[in-house]
């Protein structure tokens, strides 16, 4: 879901269902040690008519101009001896 988050410019989505979610529910998703998956699913299932909402850090006074990827790297290339240095250079 991290890749989707950045590719969609910080659009808030539920991690488990990939449905749009609210800032309040997204904050819960960021604290998995406080909430069980069942609780998070219950919160998401209780939402109706959710409007597109973007992370508070993205644009409109946030600390990032926009939440779009600047560079994309491959984990597999990073850990491979032949390509690792070039991938992160």
């Amino acid at each position: 879901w991290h890749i989707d988050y950045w590719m969609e410019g910080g659009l808030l989505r539920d991690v488990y269902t990939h449905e749009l979610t609210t800032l309040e529910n997204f904050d819960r998703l960021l604290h998995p040690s406080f909430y069980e998956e069942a609780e998070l699913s219950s919160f998401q299932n209780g939402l109706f008519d959710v409007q597109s909402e973007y992370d508070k850090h993205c644009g409109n006074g946030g600390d990032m101009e926009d939440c779009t990827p600047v560079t994309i790297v491959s984990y597999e290339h990073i850990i491979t001896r032949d390509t690792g240095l070039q991938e992160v250079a």
Side-chain angles (χ1 to χ4, degrees):
W1 69 273
H2 288 107
I3 292 172
D4 291 335
Y5 170 88
W6 290 106
M7 296 305 286
E8 295 180 329
L11 182 63
L12 303 181
R13 290 190 178 274
D14 180 73
V15 174
Y16 302 105
T17 65
H18 202 62
E19 296 171 353
L20 294 177
T21 194
T22 61
L23 180 59
E24 180 182 19
N25 198 48
F26 193 76
D27 285 340
R28 290 183 186 124
L29 292 166
L30 296 177
H31 297 96
S33 59
F34 297 151
Y35 301 99
E36 296 287 330
E37 183 178 344
E39 291 175 292
L40 295 169
S41 293
S42 176
F43 291 135
Q44 181 66 28
N45 291 337
L47 299 176
F48 298 97
D49 194 32
V50 179
Q51 303 299 311
S52 296
E53 199 171 345
Y54 291 84
D55 192 294
K56 59 189 172 195
H57 297 283
C58 304
N60 296 329
D63 52 352
M64 292 187 262
E65 283 185 38
D66 61 10
C67 290
T68 55
V70 176
T71 303
I72 298 184
V73 297
S74 165
Y75 171 77
E76 290 79 9
H77 289 172
I78 291 173
I79 64 170
T80 302
R81 180 180 293 269
D82 295 335
T83 58
L85 291 176
Q86 295 88 357
E87 189 72 9
V88 295

